[in-house]
Amino acid sequence: MKLVFLGPPGAGKGTIASQAKTAYSIPHISTGDLFRDNIRRETELGQKVKAILAAGDLVPDEVTIAMVDNRLKEADAAAGFILDGFPRTIAQADALARMTELDKVVNFVLDKETVVRRLSGRRVCKSTGRTYHILYNPPKVEGIDDETGEPLIQRDDDREESVRNRLEVYEASTAPLIDYYRSRGLLVDVDASGSPEEVFEQLKKAISG
Ligand code: ADP
Ligand code: ADP
């Protein structure tokens, strides 16, 4: 199963992907996670993209496309994958079409107010990338990762300034992909406003059809 998860930042794509990857035995490939991992390890790529991520702008297409192309060539992605956060531009979508054939593109539909609420309460474990929400999915002990015991942090780009910019970038560059994939018969809409369990049930229905 080759899937793309599309939708605004904070819609719950990563949360649902971490359930779906187990259910469908396919890797969850998040371009945001790949960039953050490079930043943490201070690689050349990480140094190149650090300020871009902090501002909530898009990393240039050629850099992002090359990274995804390499990742999709790894053995675990041969039979299927969930691409989360890629493509984000028409040029990326065209490049992806040259790399592989998708089964479905899942569009996570959520109003802007809820998106902002989800983003502003998001907390993550820096080393594992595990995601929590201070109200909707709190850790067992406040501010501490359930499994590693490490402190949770707020992503730099989940602060107000950057969130506003990311939502504008989404509208301008990424939202046009909804029509792009709808016109190719690949798009399925999922109402992302319910609980993670409800959203996951909808996802299963949407991709089995
Ligand atoms: P969110 O989970 O909030 O949707 P991501 O983790 O997907 O955010 O992405 C974080 C940041 O990484 C983006 O704001 C952008 O700077 C960069 N990024 C991730 N994916 C892409 C992409 N496909 N093209 C360009 N930049 C990207
Ligand atoms: P995305 O990957 O689309 O940026 P995330 O999966 O990181 O989104 O979710 C954003 C925030 O919203 C996180 O804090 C997460 O815990 C929370 N969240 C995700 N799905 C739901 C949901 N269905 N209901 C309430 N909160 C959610």
Side-chain angles (χ1 to χ4, degrees):
M1 182 80 72
K2 296 181 175 179
L3 301 173
V4 162
F5 281 7
L6 191 64
K13 302 181 297 297
T15 299
I16 299 304
S18 64
Q19 299 185 33
K21 72 171 182 184
T22 311
Y24 294 102
S25 304
I26 46 178
H28 168 208
I29 302 175
S30 155
T31 40
D33 285 347
L34 292 175
F35 286 132
R36 282 185 290 275
D37 184 53
N38 275 276
I39 293 170
R40 193 168 44 243
R41 292 187 290 115
E42 297 181 342
T43 66
E44 202 178 317
L45 173 64
Q47 284 165 11
K48 198 170 356 178
V49 303
K50 188 172 183 186
I52 300 175
L53 264 83
D57 291 326
L58 291 183
V59 174
D61 282 335
E62 69 271 20
V63 175
T64 309
I65 289 166
M67 182 178 75
V68 170
D69 194 27
N70 283 331
R71 180 63 186 87
L72 292 185
K73 285 178 181 145
E74 285 178 34
D76 66 335
F81 49 75
I82 300 166
L83 263 179
D84 165 13
F86 182 93
R88 262 175 156 94
T89 64
I90 301 280
Q92 292 179 11
D94 286 339
L96 179 61
R98 290 191 289 272
M99 291 176 213
T100 189
E101 201 174 329
L102 298 171
D103 292 303
K104 291 269 192 305
V105 175
V106 182
N107 180 33
F108 285 67
V109 180
L110 195 64
D111 65 273
K112 200 166 159 182
E113 228 170 89
T114 313
V115 158
V116 171
R117 261 204 311 274
R118 288 188 184 176
L119 284 176
S120 61
R122 174 158 66 183
R123 297 292 182 272
V124 297
C125 173
K126 209 171 177 178
S127 69
T128 64
R130 205 182 343 267
T131 301
Y132 299 84
H133 191 283
I134 51 173
L135 300 175
Y136 310 137
N137 178 26
K140 294 191 183 102
V141 180
E142 193 185 324
I144 300 291
D145 183 74
D146 289 347
E147 276 168 42
T148 64
E150 291 169 77
L152 300 178
I153 57 151
Q154 182 173 40
R155 273 169 48 178
D156 284 344
D157 59 346
D158 280 346
R159 294 171 203 279
E160 198 185 333
E161 240 336 276
S162 186
V163 163
R164 222 177 302 131
N165 187 38
R166 282 158 69 208
L167 293 176
E168 281 169 18
V169 169
Y170 173 77
E171 285 304 327
S173 302
T174 309
L177 291 177
I178 296 172
D179 285 340
Y180 177 101
Y181 283 121
R182 205 186 296 282
S183 70
R184 284 160 177 74
L186 288 171
L187 198 83
V188 289
D189 286 318
V190 163
D191 173 0
S193 66
S195 67
E197 293 71 28
E198 285 165 343
V199 179
F200 186 51
E201 282 308 310
Q202 276 205 53
L203 171 80
K204 285 196 278 190
K205 271 193 214 134
I207 61 183
S208 68

